[in-house]
Amino acid sequence: MRIFIVISLNLLILILTFCSTNQIQGNLPESGREAKIFPDYSGITIPPNIAPLNFYIDEEGSDFQVKIFSKTIDTIFCSGKTVDIPLNKWKTLLESNLGNELNLQIYVKNKDNHWTRFKTIINHISSERIDSYLAYRLIHPGYEDWREMGLYQRNLENFNETPIIYNRSIDENCVNCHTFCKNDPGTMMFHVRGNHGGTILLKDKNVKRLNIAGKPLISGGVYPAWNPDGKHIGFSVNKITQLFHAIKEKNIIVMDTLSDLVVYDIEKNTIISDIKLMGNEFMETFPAWSPDGLYLYFCRAPKISDTTKYNEVRYDLMRISFNPQDNTFGWIDTVIQAKNINGSISFPRISPNGKYLMFTLADYGTFPIWHAEADLYLIDLKTNRLIKMEANSSDTDSFHDWSSGGNWFVFSSKRLDGQWGRSFFSYVDKNGKSSKPFILPQKDPHFYETFLRSYNAPQLVISKIEVSQSAFAGIVLSDSTQAIYSGN
Amino acid sequence: MSGYNQNLKTSIFKVFLVFGNMKKKTSKADNKIMFLENKLKYALPWIFFAFLIIWFGFVANHVIIYQSTLKLFFYDPYYLKRYFDFPGGFIDFCSSFLLQFYHIFWLGIIITALLNIGFYFLVRTINRIVFPKSQTDIISLLFSVLLFGLQNYHPFIPSYSLGFSFTALFLVIFLVISKKSYIASVFSCVIFAVILYFLTAGYVWIFAGMSGIYEISLRKSFKKLIIPALAVASPVIVSLIGFKFIYPVSPNNIWLEKLPFQFDEQIKSITILLGVLMILIPAFSFIKYSKLINRLNKPLIFSVLIVIVVFLISYLTFNSRLKTQFLNRNYVLNDKYSEIIQLADDAPSSNMLVSFGTNLSLYKKGLLLEKMFQYFQGFGINGLMLYGDKKPLSDLLKSKLYYDLGYINESHRWAFESLVQSGETPDALLFLAKTNMINGHDKIAEKYINLLDKSLFYKDTAMALRKFLNNEELMSLNNELTGKRKQLPNIDQFADNLEERNLEFLLKNHPENKMAFEYLQACRMLKLQVPLIVNNIREFRERNYSQLPASIQETCILYWASTGKKPEMAGYELNKNYMKLFVEYAKMVAHFRESYDKDKIYSQIKTKFGNTFWFYADFIAKN
């Protein structure tokens, strides 16, 4: 009996030591710098509903202690080089401290058994929530053939990830271009390429498979954009080619040889366009709608010929008025001329309040994810003021998407290594100033060190997509509805 | 022989019966034979085990070699979790765990043999439970022989063997329970079906079939129908639940996930045969199987039968062409060029990958332009550079070729393509790490090195590469990586679909690139671009070739003969023997064109000139 009590007590002490009591007592002198941590969660603004920002301490030492605290609520204590923050305590801490600072106090014990207190890492808890889900495609970056890939949704409030559609369930067809109408998981679409090719459309709890390809279109639908009315989808139709560079500084270039714009009317099952969007003079791509659905923004470059140099192709930002009542187009305006900003514009995305348009600017071309120089820009649509965003890095920053509230945005950045796109989040204030971005948190902070897939085309979604993967798979393998081209 | 013995024994037995009092002596003789037969019964599985070791060690060694190059097993939470994304993930997990040991060749063989013999013992146990009064041990070996047939196919990785073994294991437990308690067997049938679905997916049907038939044979009245109904209903329900709510299974593959049906028809047929035989074991009781077996219980006869079946299965399932291909591929990736040439001499093959390996080896041995037409070149430029070959198996070979040529971006491209198609294999990770280090992309290289570090047998490789990261000084001491850096192109282009343009591009950047030069000449010969070769003989002089390689001389002679213009030889002399031979060749070709018995003349030309560029130009390239 006595032995049992002794063992139990020892075990209890051991457990308590690990859980919470292993705290540093007394005041230690502060080191002049912040501790190095990965991911870099220092000086960032975070939404109150984000999952715990687990990290590891990239400092030499034999023991590690971390205090996470704000103005109110108990401090969270963690120990060990890898910091795994308890979900419930984290949530309570954040929700109780909206608008306050979030402090990370890190202590490291060195070889001489002396503790060092690093400068407190200060972050800011925003009072604005971010949409709860992130939808993305996990793929190997840069390939000709594909094999295994899928569209996934991740609950941003914890670490749960579930497949929207995994391509092994649809005979390894390619899935891409998942897009939502106003961040609504109930109104969405994605494309399938391969022997079950088509466009999968989810609206009003109905899922159907569309075939948009067919004469006179040069391809099936490629880059999509939902009109906020939920009744129209703008598509580019593109002939895309991928080429491989020979020098070490560059890897791949993806470019269009032809492209046009069309709009699909969901209720009438018709495809409409205009000679101004399908002419022989220009290549039009990357559609985006104004929040009122009356303007279709897009990128446009002169059509290339055999003598066109690939690095001289630059896309302007254009817009055309659209009447959703009778499906007619008006006049085209130039919003930004590429030559005026010495670059090429892609991925225009307008904030839900219509104030800003965010786009990616690269030196040339149409697909900036392989351009290290690609950066994010904002244009104030009222004043035409152009803002280079603070969230940019020295590597590729592109493929962005606004949250439904318009205060947060997600984008794809290759800043960690130059090859794999990772999802980063940033807060935009009313003046268009973006906060230092933070990476999509993972349960295991070492995750990104060995994960060989890109988070492709991240999209913020208000809640979970309720249609099951098996239902989507069943539709993909079923017969498609042919969309009818109704001309200009 | 054994039949003769049996007849003899029977006759003697009858005689002894007639003469009555000699029965005791007969029993002694019989006992001796029975003793020997019993010994054989116990020894045969182990003899078969030894046979498997020898077979996979020396005959079908390509199976082990191929499987050792598959996706690595990583000690990493994300990669471990991925095994369980699908039903049957457990056998995939176990299989991948076992496959990592195939890195040590003999360990791979032992594991393969153990998987087989383990299956035998499980089937033997099932037979002993179902037919307690019969001698079924040797018959059980037949199941193992069928599994051996499947193991002879290179894509039949351990997960498939494990699928059969786990099913057999669950059947053993079910049979034991079933004999003791009906109620327990009802529950165990359902529970085992559910567990087996999660562990092995489609193999659950073997369990369902056999347990159902066993219950029908065992019980009377309505009871005999309950377990069969549950045995079928449980996998149906659990598969549908799995499909609807748990796993991203294809609607087309709800029932057969994890069964090896995606490969060739032979694998599918043998798998179905083996599965059906397992299901039917209890059904034999309906045809008085026990009595039949007891009557036919002649271990010697069955042993001979087993040997015949093993022989037949080996003959039907062993593919020597694939063996040559995989050995060749393995030698290429491990720089064993003498072995490749030896293989090409010993087992000439008309396989594109083999042709590629042979040409690369000839170059490495300085013999490409001397002897390339001594080997099969029927694939033209495809056999030189795998141009147009889209099979995943060739991706790494292309990566290797471009690595050797110094076209690092192309090497990276094909290694990456291999990663996409075949997963995180050791060779792909190695090429990706090296090409990124050469290009100075250390952060990218580090990812691949991190992964190698998470495997069991590539930690040293990872450590050796990691020390060069962000250490230019140390890097400069590494001849291989620094040598490749010196070969990096200075001017840009897009990789061309015409392979000779890529070679010309490499030479434009680095005219001293000998491999690019010789490959370009070989390319031109294979594409019959004779004037391009003949009009650039000075390029050999510029590169200090002491004499023109044999194939180039043959090209010059052919050009001279066909155009009447003597090539500009840049100071080189044409070998007079070659010219004499060409005269003879030309006469024979003229004779061939006029002759009615073309086959005979063709055969003569092939025998005498089959190793020349002339023959390639007239008879192979043009066909």
Side-chain angles (χ1 to χ4, degrees), chain B residues 530-531 533-538 548 552-576 579:
Chain B
V530 174
I533 298 168
V534 172
N535 294 332
N536 292 293
I537 295 297
R538 62 181 155 62
L548 274 184
I552 301 295
Q553 291 201 44
E554 287 167 5
T555 311
C556 291
I557 292 168
L558 184 70
Y559 176 81
W560 191 358
S562 57
T563 63
K565 289 184 223 166
K566 188 180 179 188
E568 174 52 59
M569 295 304 293
Y572 290 113
E573 291 282 325
L574 287 172
N575 186 316
K576 284 176 184 162
M579 294 172 76

Side-chain angles (χ1 to χ4, degrees), chain B residues 359 362-363 366-372 384 518-519 522 551:
Chain B
N359 284 328
L362 287 171
Y363 168 74
L367 298 170
L368 181 65
L369 301 181
E370 294 288 345
K371 289 188 171 180
M372 63 184 282
L384 186 70
E518 294 207 353
Y519 261 68
S551 301

